[in-house]
Amino acid sequence: MSNWTDLVLIHGNIEGARTAFERACEMIIGWKRRPETVRGIRVQQGDGGIDVYVGDFGNTPIDVYQCKYFIHGIDDSQKQQIRNSYKTAVSSADFKVNKWYLCLPVNLSIPETTWFEGWSKSLNPSVTLLPPAELMIDAENAGLATSIFQRSDSLKLDRIVEDLKKHNRDPWFALVAETEDDCFQILLKLIREHQKCIGDQYPHLNALARGANAGDKLDACQYLKSVLVGAIETNHKVWLLNMLSDFTWEPIAYRFIRRYDALVEKASELGYLPVLSTTEFYSTWNLLRSPAISSLRDQAEWTVKFE
């Protein structure tokens, strides 16, 4: 079973993991509280003490869920954030609170539990803690965990292997084709976003971008390599690693790594890793994980570390 802290590894940074945790909580609560009305709140100058609510907003008292992605425990600052969120919700002129729930990704320590129980026991409306295990069990039971923890890449390759083995066919070339097609689309999106930022400053990158847009997978790989180890401004290198996926806040370059990880794992299982390691996509994947660009990843605020 996965852990909620895995979201940092999946999305590459805390912001992406926080957004994913809030979205996961919304889906889980929607499944658990069906057929009641469940809605998330978009942050705009604060969230009003609400991440998710259940009920008829503005007409009857609602159940409020606040999702705090605190993965390193709760210090004084985070305790104040929790208190402030509760106070903001219960004092709102826009809605009335029936119950207030706190969703956390890790269990509380003994001192943290002592604080929480002491703070919450006399509050009205009441406060309920939803611990990580309960959220995870609900995610698994609802069939949401595969989506939340993005297990689909490995599952897709598993299905290809299973299907081809039934027909006594070597699945390797199909696995490579499927993965490289997916990874090329990820790189293409990354290149297009990066080009918007840097403009026409680097003719050699413009040429590689044109090749990638024309469908040349090798040019797409070479574009990343030329940016990360080539003679261009450091901030333009960092921008490449900073480009984020829509809605998830996951770096696009990290999405490429995760997608290719699934093929590397399969190559190891099937004995094709020496073959795979000679390809352009593999060397691109390897460079993105390399200690040689660790300072660039740090500047891009990637929190994931590679062995």
Side-chain angles (χ1 to χ4, degrees), residues 72-87:
H72 301 298
I74 299 177
D75 58 21
D76 289 341
S77 173
Q78 292 163 331
K79 290 174 185 176
Q80 191 60 50
Q81 289 182 51
I82 293 170
R83 288 190 290 257
N84 288 346
S85 293
Y86 177 83
K87 183 179 179 180

Side-chain angles (χ1 to χ4, degrees), residues 4 7 20-34 38 52 54 65 67 103-104 130-145 148-149:
W4 293 111
L7 292 176
F21 182 64
E22 292 172 0
R23 185 178 298 109
C25 289
E26 181 181 351
M27 292 190 295
I28 292 165
I29 295 161
W31 172 80
K32 193 168 186 176
R33 297 292 298 265
R34 64 193 190 283
V38 177
V52 182
V54 180
Y65 292 79
C67 311
C103 303
L104 293 176
L130 292 183
E134 181 176 339
L135 291 169
M136 186 65 69
I137 291 169
D138 286 340
E140 295 286 356
N141 290 340
L144 297 169
I148 292 169
F149 294 101

Side-chain angles (χ1 to χ4, degrees), residues 240-257:
L240 185 78
L241 301 178
N242 260 338
M243 299 296 168
L244 302 178
S245 302
D246 296 336
F247 307 115
T248 67
W249 292 86
E250 177 185 23
I252 300 172
Y254 187 68
R255 173 67 187 119
F256 170 88
I257 291 173

Side-chain angles (χ1 to χ4, degrees), residues 138-210:
D138 286 340
E140 295 286 356
N141 290 340
L144 297 169
T146 295
S147 172
I148 292 169
F149 294 101
Q150 301 191 10
R151 302 169 182 165
S152 57
D153 291 339
S154 294
L155 292 175
K156 180 166 34 174
L157 298 189
D158 286 342
R159 286 193 292 270
I160 291 173
V161 171
E162 183 179 352
D163 182 61
L164 292 178
K165 282 187 173 180
K166 286 180 181 177
H167 298 88
N168 295 318
R169 294 169 58 193
D170 188 338
W172 175 245
F173 297 104
L175 295 179
V176 173
E178 179 80 21
T179 301
E180 289 191 352
D181 284 347
D182 287 351
C183 286
F184 174 64
Q185 292 304 316
I186 296 169
L187 292 184
L188 198 56
K189 177 177 177 59
L190 178 57
I191 291 167
R192 288 169 176 170
E193 293 299 319
H194 191 246
Q195 282 276 294
K196 290 177 186 177
C197 294
I198 65 172
D200 297 326
Q201 297 183 53
Y202 306 103
H204 68 294
L205 293 181
N206 296 338
L208 291 170
R210 287 194 296 271

Side-chain angles (χ1 to χ4, degrees), residues 83-101:
R83 288 190 290 257
N84 288 346
S85 293
Y86 177 83
K87 183 179 179 180
T88 299
V90 300
S91 61
S92 175
D94 297 319
F95 57 88
K96 297 295 182 183
V97 176
N98 178 43
K99 295 179 180 179
W100 194 85
Y101 295 86

Side-chain angles (χ1 to χ4, degrees), residues 251-272:
I252 300 172
Y254 187 68
R255 173 67 187 119
F256 170 88
I257 291 173
R258 288 198 304 102
R259 179 64 185 90
Y260 205 77
D261 279 346
L263 181 62
V264 173
E265 182 180 346
K266 285 297 175 189
S268 182
E269 290 178 11
L270 298 172
Y272 278 100

Side-chain angles (χ1 to χ4, degrees), residues 28-60:
I28 292 165
I29 295 161
W31 172 80
K32 193 168 186 176
R33 297 292 298 265
R34 64 193 190 283
E36 298 174 89
T37 298
V38 177
R39 297 284 185 271
I41 293 292
R42 177 171 56 89
V43 176
Q44 186 177 30
Q45 296 181 337
D47 58 14
I50 304 177
D51 285 315
V52 182
Y53 72 88
V54 180
D56 188 2
F57 190 94
N59 295 314
T60 60

